[in-house]
């Protein structure tokens, strides 16, 4: 059983007498948040397969399950639209979010980062007919490019291109390439490989990645005392081979 300090003042209801209300609030303020093996922690994510799957067999699913299990808790990953997944974690509707860049707490102050990267997230160029060395974002200047609307990283970084098309889904993205309506599709490596494994398309990706960012697990601040345990759990998983087993089972096999 784990005890976490916390305040439940917002859940307190006033009574008809001022003294009764005051005492109730004081008691609530000092009640600890108690979690045990029966507590189910929900961690949101805005990424679908191969990261989050309905049967909890995706990369993020298994990382979350194993990290919290080592802290003595049960946890699951919940797939939501990207922005909603952050809002739910920040407001406490859910208990955390995986996986995001460092510094997220500046915009979402109720989230606490767990030290230790979950993954190096590679963004790559997918193409049907082009073959060139990807040096930086300026390398894209001669080409008609496309990416999924709402991907903030691409909106910020992709400033050099012949033309730009925004789409709503990965299917639309790769259909643009298939139909020769775009030269380049920007996407993350693993999601792109997952899509190509399930669809017939003469599309390949170029290396090196155009960008790579470290992503982390965040928990709502009500669970901030779990952070050292979770960070230690992730480090142990990397040391004892559990992390590699999960990575090979869910991601690296897509390269074969």
């Amino acid at each position: 059983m784990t005890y976490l300090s916390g305040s439940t003042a917002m859940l307190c209801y006033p009574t008809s007498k001022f003294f009764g209300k005051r005492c109730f609030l004081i008691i609530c303020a000092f009640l600890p948040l108690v979690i045990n093996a029966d507590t189910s922690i929900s961690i949101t994510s805005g990424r679908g397969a191969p990261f989050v799957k309905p049967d909890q067999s995706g990369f993020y699913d298994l990382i979350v399950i194993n990290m919290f299990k080592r802290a003595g808790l049960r946890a699951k990953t919940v797939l939501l639209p990207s922005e909603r997944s952050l809002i739910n974690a920040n407001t406490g509707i859910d208990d955390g979010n995986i996986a995001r860049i460092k510094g997220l707490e500046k915009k979402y102050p109720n989230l606490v980062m767990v030290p230790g990267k979950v993954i190096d997230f590679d963004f790559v160029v997918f193409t049907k007919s082009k073959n060139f060395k990807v040096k930086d974002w300026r390398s894209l200047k001669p080409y008609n490019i496309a990416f999924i609307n709402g991907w903030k990283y691409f909106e910020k970084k992709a400033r050099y291109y012949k033309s730009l098309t925004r789409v709503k889904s990965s299917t639309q993205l790769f259909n643009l390439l298939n139909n020769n309506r775009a030269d380049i599709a920007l996407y993350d490596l693993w999601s792109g490989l997952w899509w190509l494994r399930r669809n017939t398309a003469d599309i390949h990706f170029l290396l090196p990645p155009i960008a790579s960012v470290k992503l982390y697990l965040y928990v709502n601040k009500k669970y901030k005392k779990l952070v050292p345990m979770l960070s230690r759990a992730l480090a142990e998983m990397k040391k004892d081979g559990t992390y590699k087993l999960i990575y090979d089972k869910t991601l690296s096999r897509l390269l074969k």
Side-chain angles (χ1 to χ4, degrees), residues 43-48 51-52 60 77-82 85 96-100:
I43 303 297
T44 62
S45 177
R47 305 296 305 140
F51 297 99
V52 176
Y60 290 164
T77 313
V78 180
L79 179 61
L80 294 172
S82 183
S85 72
N97 183 266
I98 190 171
R100 300 287 178 167

Side-chain angles (χ1 to χ4, degrees), residues 17 22-23 38 45 55 58 71 84 89 93 100 113 118-119 122 161 166 170 181 191 198 216 226 233 252-253:
K17 295 182 180 180
R22 186 185 182 101
C23 290
D38 295 325
S45 177
D55 63 356
R84 173 51 57 186
I93 295 174
R100 300 287 178 167
M113 191 188 83
V118 171
I119 191 174
D122 292 333
Y161 46 78
R166 291 181 172 89
S170 56
R181 294 173 57 194
S191 297
R198 282 149 184 77
Y216 300 82
L226 286 178
S252 64
R253 69 181 184 86

Side-chain angles (χ1 to χ4, degrees), residues 10-241:
M10 290 189 297
L11 299 179
C12 299
Y13 296 93
T15 64
S16 58
K17 295 182 180 180
F18 177 76
F19 181 76
K21 175 183 177 182
R22 186 185 182 101
C23 290
F24 186 66
L25 288 174
I26 291 173
I27 291 171
C28 286
F30 287 94
L31 280 176
L33 175 63
V34 181
I35 55 177
N36 52 45
D38 295 325
T39 302
S40 181
I41 304 295
S42 61
I43 303 297
T44 62
S45 177
R47 305 296 305 140
F51 297 99
V52 176
K53 297 182 181 180
D55 63 356
Q56 296 288 288
S57 65
F59 176 74
Y60 290 164
D61 297 319
L62 296 176
I63 292 293
V64 165
I65 289 170
N66 278 272
M67 285 179 69
F68 281 89
K69 183 178 180 180
R70 292 179 185 226
L73 298 167
R74 292 187 300 112
K76 63 179 180 180
T77 313
V78 180
L79 179 61
L80 294 172
S82 183
E83 187 66 20
R84 173 51 57 186
S85 72
L86 284 170
I87 292 172
N88 278 21
N90 187 60
T91 58
I93 295 174
D94 290 291
D95 304 313
N97 183 266
I98 190 171
R100 300 287 178 167
I101 60 173
K102 186 179 291 187
L104 194 68
E105 65 278 0
K106 294 176 182 177
K107 184 176 181 181
Y108 300 92
N110 293 328
L111 295 182
V112 181
M113 191 188 83
V114 176
K117 68 178 180 182
V118 171
I119 191 174
D120 287 312
F121 208 66
D122 292 333
F123 296 108
V124 299
V125 168
F126 285 89
T127 182
K128 181 179 179 181
S129 58
K130 305 301 178 182
N131 192 7
F132 62 96
K133 186 174 182 179
V134 181
K135 295 181 179 179
D136 53 29
W137 295 99
R138 293 179 184 271
S139 304
L140 308 182
K141 191 172 182 178
Y143 304 107
N144 301 303
I145 73 171
F147 58 77
I148 297 174
N149 192 40
W151 281 49
K152 304 300 183 184
Y153 191 78
F154 290 151
E155 290 175 357
K156 180 180 179 180
K157 295 291 186 178
R159 301 288 183 87
Y160 305 95
Y161 46 78
K162 184 177 180 181
S163 70
L164 168 63
T165 302
R166 291 181 172 89
V167 297
K168 294 182 179 180
S169 67
S170 56
T171 297
Q172 290 181 354
L173 186 67
F174 287 112
N175 280 343
L176 283 179
L177 291 182
N178 264 337
N179 297 327
N180 299 311
R181 294 173 57 194
D183 301 317
I184 286 169
L186 298 176
Y187 205 29
D188 78 85
L189 173 62
W190 302 117
S191 297
L193 290 177
W194 177 266
W195 191 92
L196 291 174
R197 276 288 188 97
R198 282 149 184 77
N199 297 272
T200 302
D202 184 21
I203 294 172
H204 61 281
F205 64 93
L206 303 180
L207 291 176
I210 196 166
S212 183
V213 295
K214 293 178 173 61
L215 300 184
Y216 300 82
L217 168 68
Y218 282 81
V219 295
N220 187 278
K221 65 181 182 181
K222 63 186 176 183
Y223 293 113
K224 64 182 179 181
K225 287 195 174 182
L226 286 178
V227 168
M229 286 185 282
L230 293 172
S231 180
R232 187 163 53 249
L234 182 58
E236 290 172 352
M237 288 166 60
K238 292 177 179 178
K239 185 176 181 179
D240 66 22

